[in-house]
Amino acid sequence: MTETPETPARSWLTRLAIYGPLLLFAVFVVFVGSQLGRETRVTVTSKLIGQPMPAVNLPGLGGAPGLTSADFKTGKPVLVNVFASWCIPCRVEAPQLARLTAMGVTVNGIAVRDAPDDVAAFLKTNGNPFTRVGLDKTGQTQITLGSSGVPETFVIDGRGIIRYQHIGEIRPEHIALLMAKLTEAGR
Amino acid sequence: MNTNTIKPGMKPKHQRLVLLGLALAAMAGALALGISALGTSATYFYAPSDVFAHAPAPGEAIRLGGLVQKGSVQRLPDGLTLAFRVTDNARDVPVRYTGIVPDLFREGQGVITEGHFDAQGTFIATSVLAKHDEKYMPPEVAGSLHKVQGKVTS
Amino acid sequence: MIVELGHAALWLAAAFALLQALAPWLRAPADDAERWTGLAVPAALAQALLVSLAFGSLVWAFATSDFSVKLVAENSHTMKPMLYKLSGVWGNHEGSMLLWILVMAVAGAAVSLADSPLGDRFRALVLSMQGIIALGFYAFLLAASNPFARLAIAPTQGNGLNPLLQDPGLAFHPPMLYAGYVGLSVAFAFAVAALLERRVGPAWAAAVRPWVLAAWAALGCGITLGSWWAYYELGWGGYWFWDPVENASLMPWLAATALLHSVAVLAKRDALRNWTILLAVVGFSLSMIGTFVVRSGLLTSVHAFAVDPARGAFLLVLLALYIGGALLLYALRASTVAVGEGFAPVSREGALVANNLLLAAGLGVVFVGSGYPLLVDVLGVGPISVGPPYFNATFGPLMIPLVLLMAVGPFLTWGAARTDKLARKLAVPGLLAVALALYAFAVWDVRAAFSLIGFALSAWLGVATLAILWGRMPWRTPRATWGMALAHLGVAFTLFGITASGALTRELLVNLRLGESAEVAGYTMKLVDVAPVAGANWTALEATLDVSRGGQPLTVLHPQARLYTSPMMDTTEAAIHTRINGDLYAVLGKPDGSGRWQLHVWWKPFVIWIWAGGLIMALGGALSMTARASARRSAAQPVGALVAA
């Protein structure tokens, strides 16, 4: 190799082979990172965080008292769980809601676009963790709450201000987070 | 192991470039092969509402996912074929499946079925999964059910 | 108390990992570097001991059902059989992370105790890399997912473990898989150390070879166990589904397969230097990506399943640092590694290069197929799935030339190979390959071209591999040759099993009353009884099926429909009668309400060969591993070749 060995070896092909893997991996990291970012956004931001809870006046189930704005001004932070009998993730989170109730948390439910009989059956099979259940037949309350689907869970402080929105089902690992948010809201 | 006795056809450096070219060509070829195969063999996932929005052609292999509609499961006289409806609580689709349904199959449960539509609009399932992921629920089903806003109550 | 000790041991182990990571870099002014470097080995041993203690204390907590430990409460149950209480230790996120670190520390101890042909300084560097990798996962474990966390109020009973996971096959599947994944970390550490020390060459290759083989064999075992579990536990007779979790284990295996072949070329011919290093880095990178990205659910983007973003971000940063760092080092140093030797295209090394290209291409298509649904989902086109049709259409064709070459390669010599005798040597395998394909066509009535090719290739590879050993004195044949022959034979077995069970499976779906019978592939099944039975934590309906062939009673099958009590869940337990030429596989379905029971029975010819082949491959790898002394002697090189310029 007496004739200028560096020139052919430094061709674009060589560079591609040397830096290619690093570039590919960088693309991968950016892709996964943007995924993470997306989920973070979905999970934490809501226009209503820090805003007062919109007026709520929902009928209850089978003659039981419904859910009204007064239920959110008791001085004690509460959870509001937006659910429906036709929603599978809502069944998955039922044990977590039960655990939260057992830990002394007040949980109110809003059943969205649902028939009273179905809701009653749902609560019978999956347990009823709710202090109050309001029936939101048209989905209007859900929309004013800024909720786009079920299940979602809101932390409301004792003065009726929305402090936190949890989108998707509550998994066992989310309980600590929700408890922390409730404690924070209670201060 | 005396390397001097070997007479390679090319100088190592040139040979390395050829190898490099081959390697890159192989990877590019694999990529092209993969992408062309994806075009023909990726299976699209449909929720019942999607079927009504843009119907798949009869015979096209798709996955259909949703809940087994309450009260819809019927066993046909042969004792082996099940007829049921898969719903996302907005629309529902008739499904037929011959075989033993998985352990988690029951009314109201989430399922994913693989198969195709026949000319009459019945989904002929070749497999029914109530997949055993960590939460016992296929993510696609959970996702599509979350997206559907709900049924219109009477 | 024991649990707190375990927690403390884990912290101490992390401290030793830090010492291990720093040892070769410390240089006090008045001190000589040797003293510090020498600390790496004792640090690695101490770390391994302490992690074993930590792991042992968690095992203790599971064995005694200490529900004040959160992890035990969430994943165990007093009614569970002891074996599954123990396997529950790693049947969850935190415990499996601890297992990962345990295996890593044990691998570090093995590196410490084995000879170090490249010198103590190089070993200290390898251990340092392992320490650095381990530290990241200690941080993750201790800060974000502490397995020893206590509950304020201990529940009286635990949540239980998914019954599908209560199975001996699955109990040992993760530890084997992890041994493979983490074994590749040794190759990774060797590669990084070689780049730092500029010692890429035959001596390096000979030193790293046993580690690659060990990891490859363990990974192969793990994949085989997982596939076998899926086959008998899931109750639909499938053994490989190309789902992301399976692909996550297949990709490192493909990389490791390529690596162990390119390591051979580097050891013998001093060629493929950069490529080998890159493969070592990629192999472990895929292991980490597989375990932490896919399994943690980071990429299942449906937000009902979103993983805690902080946890995900932590893992991502960790991966970016390790993999990105190694690839950056590779990019910076690769151009300074001197070009290795060249070689003739028709030669052992030429065949091995082709093997590497095909394996890399196979890896590429699996990666594309696994990643595409995620990409599509992000682009918002809607969920799609990429299943067996894609992989059969892409991975399959790539394996055809690979298997063709596998039979030829061992007959080629290193350097420019003579080809005149090749045709004679390969005549018998070629003839038998055609014969088997014709037999399958005529007697078994196989018409699919893909299946016929599969039969031909398995005979071609199997016979050619036997021909390597033919006429050789078994005790004079090098152990490495035995290992290679066994591994290739294993591939032939697996290929035959896959082809035969795919092409010749017979299936029967019937509704039987008690006393009625049905027939599949010449076997007569008579439904004698359906009765309730009970186990430790389940009850079941069990069918009794008398199987006979030609009037001769053969066996009795007992398929069950089980109901587990903790947690509540139905499963089907398939009854399998295994013979060398095929499996009878029976599943009991639901009653149809008129006194008839659904039965689904398969005759799956030669299906056991698939896993037998997998185990034979792993055995071949293990045998080759013990042959390292001879490999090192024969790879003795002039000093100039050892040290890359």
Side-chain angles (χ1 to χ4, degrees):
Chain A
M1 300 304 275
T2 45
E3 74 283 354
T4 58
E6 288 308 305
T7 332
R10 283 263 164 259
S11 68
W12 61 270
L13 210 58
T14 317
R15 278 171 196 276
L16 187 61
I18 286 176
Y19 290 97
L22 187 60
L23 277 176
L24 274 179
F25 180 67
V27 170
F28 175 82
V29 168
V30 169
F31 171 68
V32 176
S34 67
Q35 281 287 83
L36 278 177
R38 192 175 72 149
E39 284 175 0
T40 314
R41 269 200 310 282
V42 167
T43 318
V44 296
T45 58
S46 162
K47 280 181 184 156
L48 285 173
I49 303 276
Q51 300 292 314
M53 179 99 177
V56 175
N57 191 5
L58 294 172
L61 202 55
L67 194 63
T68 63
S69 296
D71 294 313
F72 300 104
K73 289 179 180 152
T74 56
K76 185 190 161 202
V78 295
L79 288 181
V80 178
N81 179 247
V82 181
F83 74 103
S85 67
W86 41 265
C87 140
I88 293 192
C90 301
R91 292 173 205 187
V92 172
E93 71 176 359
Q96 278 70 256
L97 284 176
R99 252 174 78 188
L100 284 163
T101 315
M103 289 159 91
V105 177
T106 304
V107 185
N108 292 323
I110 298 180
V112 180
R113 297 192 182 199
D114 219 333
D117 291 351
D118 291 350
V119 176
F122 175 87
L123 295 178
K124 204 174 165 195
T125 41
N126 296 290
N128 184 354
F130 303 117
T131 309
R132 292 283 163 86
V133 177
L135 292 173
D136 180 20
K137 283 190 185 169
T138 58
Q140 276 308 309
T141 306
Q142 183 191 18
I143 290 165
T144 55
L145 260 172
S147 155
S148 60
V150 279
E152 287 190 15
T153 305
F154 293 83
V155 175
I156 318 286
D157 71 11
R159 286 161 295 142
I161 311 286
I162 300 176
R163 290 301 197 90
Y164 181 71
Q165 179 188 23
H166 179 92
I167 296 182
E169 95 244 26
I170 302 168
R171 294 170 54 166
E173 58 264 36
H174 297 141
I175 287 192
L177 177 73
L178 284 173
M179 288 307 291
K181 293 288 178 191
L182 280 166
T183 318
E184 214 174 273
R187 266 185 216 129
Chain B
M1 298 308 293
N2 188 346
T3 48
N4 293 333
T5 58
I6 312 297
K7 293 274 181 277
M10 279 178 283
K11 288 173 182 140
K13 208 146 225 170
H14 292 163
Q15 195 174 35
R16 184 154 97 148
L17 279 181
V18 171
L19 268 182
L20 252 175
L22 271 178
L24 291 176
M27 290 317 289
L31 205 69
L33 183 66
I35 287 168
S36 75
L38 281 174
T40 57
S41 59
T43 318
Y44 283 83
F45 177 86
Y46 285 77
S49 300
D50 301 334
V51 173
F52 287 92
H54 44 97
E60 185 192 342
I62 66 161
R63 297 176 123 198
L64 173 76
L67 297 174
V68 179
Q69 197 170 60
K70 287 250 171 75
S72 74
V73 179
Q74 284 183 326
R75 197 175 288 279
L76 299 191
D78 69 352
L80 297 169
T81 304
L82 282 184
F84 55 95
R85 300 184 81 82
V86 166
T87 175
D88 54 10
N89 292 305
R91 309 299 292 264
D92 56 82
V93 169
V95 179
R96 237 165 233 222
Y97 174 69
T98 303
I100 292 180
V101 288
D103 311 319
L104 299 171
F105 180 92
R106 59 183 59 131
E107 294 187 351
Q109 271 281 7
V111 287
I112 287 191
T113 60
E114 290 180 328
H116 58 87
F117 279 98
D118 68 7
Q120 284 75 46
T122 301
F123 190 75
I124 307 300
T126 50
S127 71
V128 172
L129 316 178
K131 214 178 162 192
H132 71 285
D133 64 12
E134 45 179 346
K135 298 293 173 199
Y136 311 142
M137 195 196 318
E140 294 101 322
V141 170
S144 70
L145 286 176
H146 189 88
K147 280 177 207 144
V148 173
Q149 276 293 310
K151 65 183 170 187
V152 182
T153 45
S154 45
Chain C
M1 187 60 210
I2 287 181
V3 169
E4 275 65 37
L5 276 179
H7 195 188
L10 198 61
W11 275 102
L12 260 179
F16 276 104
L18 180 66
L19 178 61
Q20 188 184 327
L22 292 178
W25 311 103
L26 290 174
R27 209 179 284 258
D31 216 339
D32 57 335
E34 294 296 317
R35 291 248 296 278
W36 286 107
T37 305
L39 282 179
V41 166
L45 293 175
Q47 190 209 337
L49 192 71
L50 286 164
V51 182
S52 306
L53 273 177
F55 191 79
S57 71
L58 193 61
V59 169
W60 175 259
F62 270 86
T64 57
S65 294
D66 181 354
F67 294 129
S68 68
V69 178
K70 182 161 165 270
L71 199 63
V72 182
E74 280 176 359
N75 295 289
S76 198
H77 196 280
T78 48
M79 265 161 67
K80 233 163 41 165
M82 183 53 78
L83 174 66
Y84 306 126
K85 282 185 186 166
L86 300 187
S87 66
V89 174
W90 54 77
N92 57 74
H93 173 76
E94 286 84 356
S96 65
M97 291 290 297
L98 186 60
L99 177 66
W100 172 276
I101 287 190
L102 172 72
V103 179
M104 185 125 189
V106 169
V111 170
S112 303
L113 294 174
D115 307 346
S116 178
L118 298 174
D120 288 343
R121 162 116 193 121
F122 192 87
R123 166 155 67 192
L125 273 177
V126 169
L127 288 174
S128 166
M129 285 308 132
Q130 291 233 294
I132 290 171
I133 296 167
L135 268 180
F137 295 117
Y138 277 113
F140 182 68
L141 202 57
L142 289 166
S145 43
N146 176 15
F148 298 108
R150 293 269 194 186
L151 287 171
I153 306 150
T156 50
Q157 190 50 274
N159 276 352
L161 175 75
N162 184 342
L164 284 172
L165 307 182
Q166 297 184 24
D167 178 272
L170 210 66
F172 298 107
H173 166 65
M176 282 315 269
L177 215 52
Y178 279 17
Y181 285 162
V182 175
L184 285 175
S185 78
V186 181
F188 178 90
F190 262 78
V192 173
L195 285 171
L196 286 171
E197 292 271 281
R198 295 188 157 93
R199 288 183 68 176
V200 185
W204 176 84
V208 78
R209 185 172 170 277
W211 301 105
V212 176
L213 280 164
W216 179 80
L219 201 50
C221 258
I223 294 173
T224 305
L225 275 178
S227 154
W228 183 54
W229 168 78
Y231 169 74
Y232 70 74
E233 183 65 34
L234 295 185
W236 1 307
Y239 52 87
W240 189 261
F241 304 101
W242 294 106
D243 81 22
V245 176
E246 288 168 333
N247 292 347
S249 62
L250 180 65
M251 287 191 280
W253 185 84
L254 288 171
T257 311
L259 175 62
L260 73 91
H261 289 95
S262 82
V263 157
V265 176
L266 183 56
K268 293 278 185 185
R269 305 294 308 166
D270 195 13
L272 304 183
R273 290 179 175 181
N274 283 339
W275 172 249
T276 305
I277 293 287
L278 184 61
L279 275 179
V281 171
V282 166
F284 183 57
S285 303
L286 286 170
S287 298
M288 286 199 285
I289 291 173
T291 332
F292 300 116
V293 180
V294 179
R295 297 215 106 169
S296 69
L298 207 59
L299 286 184
T300 43
S301 61
V302 179
H303 79 232
F305 279 77
V307 77
D308 173 9
R311 236 185 212 190
F314 190 109
L315 280 175
L316 187 65
V317 168
L318 221 54
L319 293 188
L321 280 179
Y322 293 154
I323 304 175
L327 288 175
L328 182 66
L329 184 67
Y330 165 80
L332 295 177
R333 286 284 163 92
S335 48
T336 70
V337 172
V339 179
E341 296 293 327
F343 52 81
V346 181
S347 61
R348 176 78 68 89
E349 54 269 39
L352 290 176
V353 168
N355 142 308
N356 265 244
L357 290 178
L358 288 165
L359 282 170
L363 181 60
V365 296
V366 175
F367 193 86
V368 168
S370 313
Y372 186 69
L374 308 167
L375 187 69
V376 165
D377 200 27
V378 172
L379 297 179
V381 184
I384 68 159
S385 67
V386 174
Y390 164 84
F391 293 99
N392 292 344
T394 55
F395 194 71
L398 283 169
M399 293 303 107
I400 293 173
L402 185 69
V403 176
L404 266 177
L405 265 174
M406 275 172 74
V408 182
F411 288 109
L412 300 172
T413 52
W414 298 98
R418 297 179 53 177
T419 49
D420 46 340
K421 282 187 185 157
L422 205 56
R424 221 176 59 206
K425 281 179 179 159
L426 291 171
V428 176
L431 280 174
L432 286 172
V434 174
L436 183 61
L438 285 176
Y439 185 83
F441 184 86
V443 180
W444 291 336
D445 219 26
V446 178
R447 289 294 175 274
F450 214 56
S451 302
L452 291 171
I453 293 174
F455 280 121
L457 281 177
S458 55
W460 162 256
L461 177 60
V463 177
T465 305
L466 287 176
I468 300 170
L469 300 172
W470 194 259
R472 284 199 189 210
M473 302 291 180
W475 56 91
R476 293 186 60 181
T477 306
R479 254 186 292 178
T481 307
W482 269 106
M484 178 268 284
L486 268 183
H488 283 194
L489 210 55
V491 176
F493 268 73
T494 300
L495 181 60
F496 182 73
I498 292 172
T499 310
S501 67
L504 306 172
T505 289
R506 297 287 174 267
E507 185 179 347
L508 175 75
L509 181 65
V510 284
N511 243 350
L512 292 183
R513 287 175 204 285
L514 295 188
E516 286 181 340
S517 15
E519 198 179 294
V520 62
Y523 294 91
T524 308
M525 332 253 144
K526 184 175 176 194
L527 182 65
V528 177
D529 194 17
V530 179
V533 289
N537 54 350
W538 50 265
T539 57
L541 281 174
E542 183 179 275
T544 304
L545 272 179
D546 278 354
V547 182
S548 59
R549 188 180 173 90
Q552 296 293 316
L554 199 67
T555 183
V556 181
L557 291 175
H558 292 290
Q560 295 177 341
R562 271 190 200 174
L563 178 67
Y564 278 84
T565 47
S566 57
M568 282 288 247
M569 188 171 164
D570 287 332
T571 71
T572 48
E573 296 292 309
I576 304 173
H577 175 63
T578 298
R579 301 165 67 90
I580 189 107
N581 66 337
D583 279 13
L584 272 174
Y585 189 111
V587 175
L588 176 68
K590 316 243 179 322
D592 78 341
S594 66
R596 293 185 299 178
W597 296 84
Q598 282 190 351
L599 277 174
H600 206 164
V601 186
W602 287 265
W603 166 247
K604 292 186 164 287
F606 301 104
V607 70
I608 195 78
W609 290 39
I610 296 173
W611 307 292
L615 293 181
I616 293 172
M617 278 184 242
L619 193 67
L623 197 66
S624 277
M625 188 175 76
T626 64
R628 68 186 161 133
S630 68
R632 208 188 307 150
R633 260 201 309 281
S634 67
Q637 292 285 326
V639 182
L642 289 183
V643 186

